[in-house]
Amino acid sequence: MWTLFAVARLVMMLPVLLLGIFLSLFVPLMPRPVYRFVAATWYGTMLALMGVRGRYQGTVADGTVLMVSNHVSWADILVIGARWPYTFLAMHEISRWPVVGWLARRIGTLFIRRGKGAPDAIRQVTDVLRAGRPVIFFPEGRTSYGTGVGRFHPRIFQAAVDARVPVQPVALYYRDRLAEPGAGTRATFADDAGFVASLWRTMAGPPVDVHVIAFETVGPLEDREALARRACELVRGHPGFTADSH
């Protein structure tokens, strides 16, 4: 039965995906408010068709922020973007994904290379923040199984220090509708499955709820270690998490 659901979801997603490709051609011409409305609507529609539902709490601060979140799935971008369609900082590998990578580049996603790419990423993020555009990144540096939150690496927090903007921590807690609490989520991208296999696994089952909490802002501060530590403490405070895990 769930296989049929997945096939139906894929069929319905195709025209929405094609629409997204078409609209991305006009992103440079869109005023920022128009882009944010279009992007949030598209992200939200894709989520609904995948059977993923975001439940949001908290309010993001007005103005420019560096938003940070724990990282569970490729779906995190859709979940956050459906409410806050800001500029994302993503791993460089995503830029090579079929269709998704092209779309990410078209909408202005920033990319960081593993290893020695942090200084360049810090400069890029700082420039975007100074231009008044919020940026989102995932400071764990990798995805988890969704049961806990790993350490927030502090290097990219330097962009918030340099741009003198606050950090907005956000917690994402996935719950498969029919699973027991604390069981993790099939939407995770933490195992060795590729993107296509992970997408299929997410859609070939009952709906997935994502509880999203936006916490109080931190900073501006002059210490990136302190920023990272406090942001991580707040995200780990989500009642659904049971451990620090990847």
Side-chain angles (χ1 to χ4, degrees):
M1 180 183 70
W2 292 117
T3 299
L4 292 177
F5 264 85
V7 171
R9 286 168 175 167
L10 282 172
V11 170
M12 291 186 292
M13 280 173 53
L14 183 58
V16 179
L17 182 60
L18 293 174
L19 177 63
I21 293 173
F22 173 75
L23 291 173
S24 70
L25 300 174
F26 301 96
V27 166
L29 304 177
M30 294 182 185
R32 295 306 296 177
V34 173
Y35 165 75
R36 288 182 178 178
F37 172 79
V38 170
T41 302
W42 188 83
Y43 285 134
T45 303
M46 291 292 286
L47 276 179
L49 293 175
M50 291 176 185
V52 179
R53 180 172 62 177
R55 298 173 176 269
Y56 300 88
Q57 292 179 250
T59 303
V60 170
D62 293 332
T64 306
V65 297
L66 178 64
M67 181 178 285
V68 298
S69 170
N70 61 303
H71 199 12
V72 180
S73 170
W74 46 267
D76 297 346
I77 293 174
L78 300 178
V79 171
I80 295 176
R83 181 59 62 94
W84 306 294
Y86 300 153
T87 300
F88 282 90
L89 174 66
M91 299 307 299
H92 189 265
E93 291 82 353
I94 293 177
S95 68
R96 298 195 296 266
W97 287 4
V99 182
V100 174
W102 185 85
L103 276 172
R105 293 192 300 271
R106 288 295 307 175
I107 64 175
T109 300
L110 307 176
F111 296 103
I112 179 173
R113 294 182 181 273
R114 296 182 188 274
K116 298 181 179 180
D120 184 56
I122 292 169
R123 286 193 295 271
Q124 290 185 74
V125 173
T126 301
D127 289 344
V128 173
L129 292 172
R130 285 175 173 166
R133 292 162 49 197
V135 177
I136 302 166
F137 86 106
F138 304 104
E140 290 171 288
R142 59 187 297 187
T143 50
S144 74
Y145 288 102
T147 56
V149 179
R151 174 175 176 262
F152 279 12
H153 299 283
R155 293 190 71 178
I156 305 300
F157 285 84
Q158 185 64 42
V161 174
D162 293 343
R164 300 184 182 278
V165 301
V167 169
Q168 177 88 60
V170 172
L172 303 180
Y173 175 67
Y174 284 73
R175 173 83 182 276
D176 295 358
R177 191 75 58 85
L178 302 182
E180 294 294 325
T185 172
R186 68 176 185 281
T188 182
F189 196 45
D191 55 24
D192 294 329
F195 170 69
V196 174
S198 177
L199 174 64
W200 178 262
R201 184 178 59 200
T202 300
M203 295 192 299
V208 176
D209 291 328
V210 189
H211 298 264
V212 185
I213 297 181
F215 293 96
E216 63 191 58
T217 57
V218 182
L221 299 178
E222 297 297 325
D223 183 350
R224 69 187 188 187
E225 296 276 354
L227 277 173
R229 186 167 53 250
R230 180 55 181 157
C232 189
E233 289 172 354
L234 288 169
V235 173
R236 283 178 176 168
H238 190 292
F241 297 131
T242 58
D244 303 341
S245 65
H246 281 288

